[in-house]
Amino acid sequence: MMTNNENPEEKIDVVVDCILVNYRGDPEWRGRIVHAILEWAEEHPDEWDELQARCQQRHEVLV
């Protein structure tokens, strides 16, 4: 899933932001989303890699 030297917390933030479109509401709710994504990523590493790559591309375009 996250094997290279990049910051795993930053990577998950990029994916969560991509999914939630920079949702800025309740941090507790966001934490539940992060937890659910991490569980899913562990079960589906190939899909995680694809999702992470798409979200990273989107993030770079928006920056």
Side-chain angles (χ1 to χ4, degrees):
M1 180 173 86
M2 292 183 253
T3 57
N4 62 18
N5 293 333
E6 291 184 38
N7 181 346
E9 193 171 311
E10 182 178 310
K11 286 181 150 187
I12 193 70
D13 281 344
V14 168
V15 173
V16 172
D17 286 348
C18 180
I19 292 169
L20 297 178
V21 191
N22 292 318
Y23 174 78
R24 299 287 185 220
D26 180 17
E28 187 175 311
W29 186 81
R30 183 183 173 89
R32 289 193 300 262
I33 296 297
V34 168
H35 181 72
I37 290 170
L38 288 173
E39 284 184 1
W40 174 83
E42 288 293 325
E43 294 174 11
H44 304 92
D46 292 337
E47 289 99 340
W48 163 256
D49 290 341
E50 291 174 25
L51 176 63
Q52 181 180 325
R54 284 193 314 267
C55 289
Q56 186 64 40
Q57 278 183 320
R58 179 175 177 229
H59 177 75
E60 290 170 358
V61 167
L62 295 174
V63 172

